[in-house]
Amino acid sequence: MRRVLQLAEKGRGKTRPNPMVGAVIIKNGRLVGEGYHKKAGGPHAEISALKQAGIQARGAEMYVSLEPCCHHGRTPPCTEAIIQSGIKKVYVGVRDANPLVAGKGIRRLKKMGIEVHSGILKKECLRLNEVFFKFIRTNTPFVYLKSGMSLDGKIATTTGESQWITGPQPRALVHKLRNEVDAILVGAGTVVKDNPSLTTRLGKRKGRNPVRVVLDPECKIPLSAKVFANCREETVIYASRTGLPLPRKKSLSQKKVLVLNFDCRNNEIPLQQLMLELGRQGITSVLIEGGSQVNASALRENIVDKVMLFMAPLIIGGASAPGVVGGPGIKSLQEALNIKDMNVRSVGRDFLIEGYL
């Protein structure tokens, strides 16, 4: 099953909105076939593994990270191919949360006399497809909150200088993550101050640019900002308050920017409502790359699933230098958010602290 997970990882960033899946076929203790889901619409992992195994699949065992599908989608059901192949046992990492499958695939295999065992490395298989499971269950995207900071938790100096607190390796890792998510979300302050392109840059490798979601309730962002350059249909989503001035709305429309209007409170976009709307747009994952105020709003509205904090070996200081999370803060430690399943690893000279809310 660990080999299955390694194979599935090869599809990261390429299978959306489908999950990443790997499959291995073993006969008499020998590997006879393996495969993974390479892209949405392409053959599923089980089919690739069966094709490689050929007639050796008869009487063999299959290991697969996710319950085989039993319905017709863009590809035929994997359960029928497994049955026809003569596989005698199937070991499943985790059941599929998709209502079209949800245990039906396992029941179909058992009904046809195939021995099935599920829950093999279940936690690891759930983590592998955490984006898929969140989206399929809630119709809202899985949300990452990313920030770079100093040892004393500052994301900029008192003068606002922030490029670059962390080194080149964390930046490369962030571009890799951009290549994997469906959307990047930033606030107007970040766009006005840094004028970022919010594109994916992977060196010689060609990456994909996620949808750029910009929060601008007060219409602060100049229309000449880089984030509005070279737009295609729905490559930029502009979230603003209800009653956007008509000239601005027309200019954004001409740039092929999708405008979403919300009733704002305290000049803040309601992020839970925004996530519901992004889910309706088919966006399964969002990377927040905002400043301290956007981070505070995201945490307060409970939309964040995972935090990724890059910590540089620097001390910046300054009472007025912004920290990772702004806003009014909390009054009691009992209100503090607990990070679970935390992991710390070095990335170049810096450290990455990851965990779940």
Side-chain angles (χ1 to χ4, degrees):
M1 191 60 77
R2 294 198 186 281
R3 175 58 183 161
V4 166
L5 291 168
Q6 288 175 352
L7 289 166
E9 272 287 347
K10 292 183 177 183
R12 186 170 290 279
K14 303 168 189 172
T15 65
R16 296 176 310 274
N18 294 348
M20 294 171 278
V21 184
V24 162
I25 298 174
I26 303 291
K27 188 170 187 179
N28 299 325
R30 189 170 60 89
L31 174 70
V32 295
E34 63 180 22
Y36 68 97
H37 187 37
K38 294 182 178 180
K39 64 177 182 178
H44 287 189
E46 299 95 318
I47 304 304
S48 296
L50 287 169
K51 184 177 180 181
Q52 192 180 102
I55 60 172
Q56 295 183 87
R58 187 159 298 279
E61 301 174 351
M62 174 180 280
Y63 295 77
V64 61
S65 53
L66 188 70
E67 176 183 6
C69 65
C70 54
H71 64 288
H72 282 273
R74 283 191 274 185
T75 58
C78 291
T79 50
E80 303 315 297
I82 293 169
I83 292 163
Q84 291 168 18
S85 73
I87 290 281
K88 67 174 183 179
K89 288 183 184 179
V90 176
Y91 294 88
V92 176
V94 66
R95 293 191 178 204
D96 196 337
N98 187 337
L100 293 172
V101 187
K104 299 184 187 78
I106 290 174
R107 289 196 293 273
R108 172 65 178 158
L109 294 176
K110 286 182 175 179
K111 184 179 179 181
M112 298 307 293
I114 296 173
E115 188 178 329
V116 182
H117 302 271
S118 62
I120 318 299
L121 296 185
K122 181 179 178 180
K123 184 176 179 180
E124 290 88 338
C125 291
L126 283 168
R127 281 279 186 253
L128 171 74
N129 282 305
E130 56 195 8
V131 169
F132 167 77
F133 281 106
K134 165 81 183 289
F135 186 76
I136 205 74
R137 286 169 174 157
T138 68
N139 291 316
T140 58
F142 187 94
V143 179
Y144 302 88
L145 189 152
K146 185 277 300 181
S147 191
M149 62 179 179
S150 62
L151 282 176
D152 54 340
K154 304 296 185 180
I155 62 172
T157 66
T158 54
T159 61
E161 184 183 351
S162 60
Q163 295 182 333
W164 297 98
I165 289 177
T166 55
Q169 289 91 343
R171 294 199 291 277
L173 190 57
V174 169
H175 281 285
K176 183 173 178 289
L177 185 57
R178 285 183 179 183
N179 186 53
E180 296 168 5
V181 298
D182 287 342
I184 303 175
L185 184 148
V186 296
T190 296
V191 177
V192 170
K193 183 170 73 75
D194 298 333
N195 195 20
S197 299
L198 299 180
T199 53
T200 300
R201 297 181 290 282
L202 296 174
K204 294 180 180 179
R205 255 181 69 217
K206 187 178 180 182
R208 57 174 289 281
N209 293 326
V211 173
R212 291 157 283 177
V213 181
V214 293
L215 311 179
D216 191 18
E218 298 179 87
C219 300
K220 289 181 177 179
I221 300 175
L223 294 173
S224 58
K226 289 180 183 177
V227 75
F228 298 137
N230 304 317
C231 296
R232 302 182 307 279
E233 291 293 344
E234 295 185 6
T235 59
V236 176
I237 294 176
Y238 180 87
S240 185
R241 66 190 310 146
T242 303
L244 186 70
L246 190 60
R248 189 173 183 85
K249 192 169 186 176
K250 187 180 291 186
S251 297
L252 289 167
S253 179
Q254 289 172 349
K255 290 177 175 287
K256 300 188 185 302
V257 174
L258 176 63
V259 178
L260 301 177
N261 294 138
F262 297 91
D263 290 322
C264 298
R265 180 180 294 178
N266 300 323
N267 285 327
E268 288 188 358
I269 302 294
L271 296 181
Q272 287 189 356
Q273 288 183 40
L274 176 60
M275 292 305 114
L276 286 168
E277 183 56 45
L278 294 182
R280 282 191 281 268
Q281 299 287 333
I283 290 173
T284 66
S285 56
V286 173
L287 173 62
I288 297 177
E289 293 199 48
S292 60
Q293 295 306 312
V294 169
N295 292 346
S297 297
L299 291 168
R300 185 175 64 250
E301 290 206 42
N302 196 30
I303 66 165
V304 178
D305 295 291
K306 184 176 183 179
V307 294
M308 302 180 68
L309 303 177
F310 293 93
M311 181 173 280
L314 304 172
I315 295 176
I316 292 175
S320 61
V324 174
V325 181
I330 59 174
K331 296 179 180 179
S332 167
L333 285 176
Q334 291 182 339
E335 301 173 56
L337 297 172
N338 286 303
I339 306 301
K340 301 174 183 178
D341 296 336
M342 195 174 76
N343 179 55
V344 181
R345 59 187 168 107
S346 60
V347 182
R349 64 159 197 172
D350 306 307
F351 288 93
L352 170 58
I353 304 168
E354 297 176 285
Y356 295 85
L357 288 161

